[in-house]
Amino acid sequence: MPTITPTITPIPAYTDNYIWLIRQHDQAVCIDPGEAAPVLDYLHAHGVTLAQIWITHAHGDHTAGIAELKQHFSGCPVYGAEDIPQATRIVREGDSIAWQNHRAHVWHTAGHTARHRCYLLNNQHLFTGDTLFAAGCGRVFPDSRPQWLYHSLQRIFRLPDATRLYPAHEYTAANLRFAAHIEPDNPHIIAAQQRAQTIPTLPVTLAREKQTNPFLRVHLPAVQQRIRQLTQQTYDSDEDYFVALRELKNRF
């Protein structure tokens, strides 16, 4: 286990993106640089060199800043899946990335997109991209399936409760409105709505997500009863309830 804990900072981009920057001494890794300018501003202000770039998935709001960053840090490798044109290091399920005294394990978390990656740093910090948000999850694009997303979230669910989660968007307040629609009497959701008035709301712990995120709570009888009430249908499995819940969120 590393003896030095890195500093992990959210850098706002666009209207609601976060570019996560992991810093130790005078080096840094950034995850999903949708814009280059705010990353360059941070690096310059703190006298830091960009050592690596990790990409969770191919959407432009996560990749558009790569080219400009590479102009400033030409030797900086870019890690990502096969569908990331700018990737210089293709990473797949089971691979790991070493940086200084740290190691990140690569997870293939299909669901938002078919080739989405998450990065588990030091078995303590999970950079979830658009797979998991605070109190929510990513919508499913045409190349993917909601059933895949269910299984990706179940994998995250099995991590230790103390795991810290780093989603790529500040969607917490909006997601909690839907969570309250599903569980109006959940006191943890009510408390989270008060906290969400101050941003950034991230990172969050997995323990809190298990209390507030309906997509991690589809196994609970009260949540299943609410889904049946809203859809006027019955379902055979937790996975089926998840698919129905994702469709309810699409229409919310």
Side-chain angles (χ1 to χ4, degrees), residues 170-190:
E170 182 60 75
Y171 290 165
T172 308
N175 285 339
L176 285 166
R177 287 194 291 272
F178 177 71
H181 176 62
I182 299 300
E183 291 188 272
D185 299 321
N186 183 330
H188 301 292
I189 293 174
I190 295 168

Side-chain angles (χ1 to χ4, degrees), residues 81-246:
E82 304 91 332
D83 60 339
I84 309 297
Q86 307 95 325
T88 60
R89 310 279 178 87
I90 303 301
V91 287
R92 300 177 175 87
E93 168 66 35
D95 288 344
S96 64
I97 304 169
W99 173 66
Q100 295 204 14
N101 57 330
H102 306 287
R103 184 168 297 276
H105 296 285
V106 180
W107 285 15
H108 179 192
T109 51
H112 176 62
T113 64
R115 294 183 175 88
H116 196 289
R117 304 295 192 250
C118 289
Y119 298 93
L120 180 61
L121 178 67
N122 299 339
N123 294 314
Q124 296 174 316
H125 309 275
L126 185 68
F127 297 91
T128 61
D130 287 4
T131 294
L132 178 95
F133 301 128
C137 66
R139 62 191 178 101
V140 179
F141 275 74
D143 68 325
S144 196
R145 301 288 185 274
Q147 293 84 357
W148 301 349
L149 184 57
Y150 169 78
H151 289 287
S152 292
L153 292 181
Q154 286 298 298
R155 184 178 184 184
I156 293 172
F157 187 94
R158 293 190 290 270
L159 285 167
D161 283 356
T163 304
R164 294 172 73 81
L165 308 173
Y166 300 80
H169 290 277
E170 182 60 75
Y171 290 165
T172 308
N175 285 339
L176 285 166
R177 287 194 291 272
F178 177 71
H181 176 62
I182 299 300
E183 291 188 272
D185 299 321
N186 183 330
H188 301 292
I189 293 174
I190 295 168
Q193 286 181 302
Q194 293 297 316
R195 291 191 297 268
Q197 295 177 20
T198 302
I199 59 173
T201 61
L202 307 170
V204 291
T205 63
L206 180 57
R208 181 176 293 178
E209 286 305 290
K210 289 181 177 180
Q211 296 174 330
T212 59
N213 191 325
F215 295 98
L216 297 181
R217 296 171 59 81
V218 292
H219 60 289
L220 298 176
V223 174
Q224 294 186 355
Q225 180 181 4
R226 179 62 167 160
I227 294 170
R228 290 195 302 271
Q229 178 188 29
L230 291 170
T231 63
Q232 296 296 298
Q233 296 184 51
T234 59
Y235 303 93
D236 295 328
S237 67
D238 293 351
E239 180 182 291
D240 292 339
Y241 277 103
F242 177 90
V243 174
L245 184 65
R246 182 60 257 183

Side-chain angles (χ1 to χ4, degrees), residues 14-48:
Y14 297 111
T15 57
D16 52 30
N17 281 62
Y18 286 130
I19 302 165
W20 290 102
L21 191 132
I22 309 166
R23 176 187 171 191
Q24 185 166 304
H25 304 309
D26 61 350
Q27 287 193 12
V29 173
C30 77
I31 297 104
D32 288 350
E35 291 185 293
V39 177
L40 292 170
D41 289 345
Y42 180 96
L43 297 174
H44 177 75
H46 294 86
V48 177

